[in-house]
Amino acid sequence: TISYNLFDGALIDSATLPVIVAPVNDQPAFTLTGNVVVNEDSGAANIMGFVTSLTLGPANEGTQGVDTWVVSNDNNDLFIVPPSISMGVLSFVPQFNANGVANISVHVRDDGGIDNGGEDTSIVQQFTITLTPRNDIPTADDISISTNEDTPVNGVVLGDDIDGDTLSYSVTGPA
């Protein structure tokens, strides 16, 4: 409340002016631990404590909660299940035999709304997920060759390497 006086040179009148301050939602903020590196074919990743701090606003916004984490990436081919964040945990499932780098963008939205000019969405933060390659085992194809006794035989051995490495062959003996 503001009190004020009006004076016309001879007389004074006093009044009060009530001031009502409407609360607005303050922008949420968070901190991430940083870039993530995992090995190719490492399976599902659940990185606990990836979000190290989360502030949804000052004390008068203490009852607010997270509405949603918005996570996007620029390399969906690296993932069976794309990155997501829940309860401070970063989760994703890499694609089998995939390697490379994905640039991840993330922001959080609280449930405080935008009434009276409030802000419910944090600043976008970025990090990378790197899937490092590993040397996969080459696969040798079982083949069958028939010949008569005491008759030389020729055949072709076959195999494959998903990594594209040059293969060499050696005979280890009769089966």
Side-chain angles (χ1 to χ4, degrees):
T1 301
I2 298 174
S3 299
Y4 63 95
N5 297 321
L6 292 176
F7 180 65
D8 69 359
L11 300 172
I12 295 177
D13 188 23
S14 298
T16 58
L17 172 66
V19 176
I20 299 170
V21 178
V24 297
N25 185 22
D26 292 300
Q27 185 178 46
F30 61 95
T31 304
L32 303 174
T33 58
N35 297 326
V36 175
V37 177
V38 296
N39 290 326
E40 168 189 333
D41 303 335
S42 59
N46 292 297
I47 302 170
M48 309 298 274
F50 185 70
V51 177
T52 58
S53 68
L54 172 63
T55 305
L56 297 177
N60 69 327
E61 297 178 13
T63 60
Q64 288 181 4
V66 171
D67 181 43
T68 188
W69 287 95
V70 180
V71 182
S72 62
N73 80 82
D74 68 351
N75 198 347
N76 277 322
D77 291 341
L78 289 181
F79 305 101
I80 295 170
V81 177
S84 64
I85 295 176
S86 178
M87 304 295 290
V89 178
L90 171 66
S91 300
F92 59 92
V93 179
Q95 191 70 258
F96 186 70
N97 284 324
N99 58 73
V101 177
N103 295 297
I104 314 298
S105 296
V106 60
H107 66 270
V108 66
R109 190 169 47 239
D110 67 29
D111 60 8
I114 57 172
D115 291 346
N116 302 319
E119 294 186 51
D120 66 353
T121 303
S122 71
I123 294 172
V124 174
Q125 294 190 40
Q126 296 182 324
F127 66 97
T128 60
I129 295 176
T130 302
L131 304 180
T132 57
R134 66 173 203 140
N135 189 14
D136 291 297
I137 296 172
T139 56
D141 297 340
D142 289 330
I143 60 171
S144 176
I145 300 175
S146 298
T147 186
N148 292 327
E149 182 179 346
D150 298 326
T151 304
V153 65
N154 291 320
V156 177
V157 292
L158 301 172
D160 188 32
D161 185 71
I162 196 164
D163 298 320
D165 297 332
T166 302
L167 297 175
S168 62
Y169 301 86
S170 64
V171 177
T172 57

